[in-house]
Amino acid sequence: MDIRSFSMPTEIHLGDSALELLPSLCGKRVLVVADPAMTQLGFAERVCGLARQANAATTIFDAVEPDPSQETCAAGVALAEEFAPDTIIGLGGGSTLDVTKTVRAACETPGITVPALVAAGFNAPPRQTGRMTCIAIPSTSGTGSEVSRGAVITENTVQGPIKRVCFTGVPDAAILDPAVPATMPAHVAADTGYDALAHAVESFASIESHRVSQALGAGAIATVLAHLPSSVQEPGNTAARAEMHVAAAIAGATMRAGLGLCHALSHQLTPTFGLPHGRANALLLPHVVAFNAQAAAEKYADLASRLGLDGDNPIASLVDALAALRAQVGIPASLQEAGVTKEQLTQKLPHMVANSAKEPNAASNPRQPTPEEIETLYWNAWEDRREEV
């Protein structure tokens, strides 16, 4: 019997002025984890002010960098152990929310260090849940970290940085206030929005997908295709930004059904070449869908039909739509166009191929690649060489 399970325990609050609900959600000692931009834009202090309306003591940890390291997470844990919060609030993009969840998980797991937690991957020991309420307030619309159960943390090794996916548990609550992502620069809206698309497309074809996750994913994909161009090209279009903010959370929820090879490969591109995570996904996704076409033919055809991409070859139409969206939002068409030279890719390829094969997201891909096929996918992305579908 094929039994699938799906849960979405995060309590979601969305809509204009949703931030005003914060005093009713937080405790009496609140640690706000933020990136420097959220402090500079005044959002971190605004969140602290709202918490103080509930007579809470507050402190801010705003040292989160893009693709955060284990060392950053450990510094957050040290502050949390000193301050002893009963509530931890993540305010920022996916990196910030991943640090927030990792800090909470490390503090609630007796005797574990951040490196040990990250190394455990999805086999993390059980947490003593309930010691710390976790609230996520995303400032970008794409990562889905506000509703996902994992975090992506960078381990700096002698061979180079490696992105590790670890299990942290989901936030208890997420606040989706469209005023927060309204400050996103256009290129960030493009990259993070395509990340949301990649989550939903990959999870739709995952070997763990099911009717519930596919229904959510198809809805998120349709919303991204309809509203991401306006969100990028018209930063003042608050309606488009609000649609993308909700679509990102929905796509994030679908990740509970697994991702795939696009994320396994993109997690190598970001630390190696400094490409934003969503942009790396955008450079890879059409090629990965083409690679999976036969193994996931029924699922992709179903998705194309739901999106109105019918015709003689609906899967080819799906691949074309994914590639066309990149052009619409100003994302490069190839790794070469994104600034990666042939010599750089040649040098780093063995390291990336080896890490891609071991990446947890690869396990739920509908077609398991050989090392040679992974290498070909990277070269296809380098020159935007499209395989026949």
Side-chain angles (χ1 to χ4, degrees):
M1 183 180 294
D2 184 17
I3 298 175
R4 304 293 173 90
S5 301
F6 187 85
S7 64
M8 191 173 166
T10 303
E11 188 177 274
I12 298 176
H13 306 278
L14 66 157
D16 293 337
S17 302
L19 272 178
E20 301 300 323
L21 294 174
L22 193 58
S24 65
L25 301 175
C26 68
K28 296 303 180 185
R29 296 189 66 78
V30 176
L31 169 60
V32 177
V33 179
D35 56 55
M38 288 293 97
T39 297
Q40 294 163 8
L41 291 168
F43 280 108
E45 181 51 40
R46 182 181 174 193
V47 165
C48 286
L50 288 167
R52 287 193 288 268
Q53 290 181 18
N55 298 316
T58 64
T59 193
I60 298 173
F61 177 75
D62 61 358
V64 179
E65 78 276 33
D67 305 312
S69 66
Q70 293 185 12
E71 291 77 13
T72 297
C73 294
V77 170
L79 177 58
E81 289 176 343
E82 177 185 346
F83 181 68
D86 57 19
T87 305
I88 185 168
I89 297 175
L91 172 67
S95 294
T96 298
L97 302 188
D98 282 358
V99 170
T100 304
K101 295 189 296 186
T102 303
V103 168
R104 191 268 300 261
C107 289
E108 291 192 338
T109 307
I112 201 166
T113 62
V114 168
L117 178 68
V118 173
F122 278 177
N123 297 310
R127 297 183 291 120
Q128 292 181 351
T129 56
R131 293 174 54 192
M132 197 183 301
T133 298
C134 181
I135 301 172
I137 307 173
S139 65
T140 61
S141 305
T143 71
S145 188
E146 64 272 18
V147 295
S148 69
R149 57 185 174 175
V152 182
I153 304 300
T154 300
E155 177 187 359
N156 293 307
T157 71
V158 175
Q159 293 78 22
I162 300 175
K163 279 194 167 190
R164 303 288 191 195
V165 183
C166 62
F167 181 80
T168 59
V170 298
D172 299 293
I175 297 177
L176 308 181
D177 190 321
V180 185
T183 60
M184 273 192 301
H187 70 278
V188 176
D191 291 339
T192 59
Y194 207 103
D195 190 23
L197 180 72
H199 294 153
V201 171
E202 286 226 279
S203 67
F204 197 97
S206 163
I207 62 172
E208 301 295 335
S209 70
H210 46 77
R211 291 174 62 188
V212 175
S213 65
Q214 289 172 353
L216 291 170
I221 294 164
T223 301
V224 173
L225 292 174
H227 295 286
L228 182 58
S230 296
S231 175
V232 173
Q233 297 162 9
E234 308 163 28
N237 189 331
T238 55
R241 288 275 169 112
E243 290 285 347
M244 281 301 306
H245 212 42
V246 176
I250 296 172
T254 70
M255 288 192 282
R256 298 182 73 82
L259 290 174
L261 201 55
C262 178
H263 274 76
L265 271 63
S266 73
H267 281 166
Q268 318 314 316
L269 288 177
T270 297
T272 303
F273 299 117
L275 294 172
H277 171 64
R279 182 167 302 185
N281 279 332
L283 293 168
L284 288 161
L285 187 62
H287 304 289
V288 170
V289 171
F291 174 79
N292 288 335
Q294 294 305 312
E298 186 175 335
K299 290 180 178 178
Y300 285 146
D302 178 23
L303 175 58
S305 177
R306 297 191 198 205
L307 297 174
L309 301 172
D310 299 314
D312 294 337
N313 193 336
I315 301 177
S317 297
L318 175 62
V319 174
D320 289 343
L322 299 176
L325 183 64
R326 290 188 311 208
Q328 285 181 282
V329 299
I331 293 176
S334 66
L335 282 169
Q336 184 178 17
E337 189 179 328
V340 178
T341 68
K342 188 173 185 178
E343 293 72 24
Q344 287 174 321
L345 184 57
T346 301
Q347 179 187 3
K348 299 295 185 180
L349 204 53
H351 179 66
M352 295 196 303
V353 169
N355 287 333
S356 297
K358 296 181 290 187
E359 221 271 353
N361 288 307
S364 50
N365 195 69
R367 176 182 172 186
Q368 289 304 302
T370 65
E372 293 75 19
E373 287 170 333
I374 293 176
E375 187 171 323
T376 297
L377 280 167
Y378 276 125
W379 282 118
N380 286 350
W382 185 76
E383 57 181 319
D384 194 26
R385 180 178 61 213
R386 202 80 58 79
E387 295 288 349
E388 193 79 22
V389 175

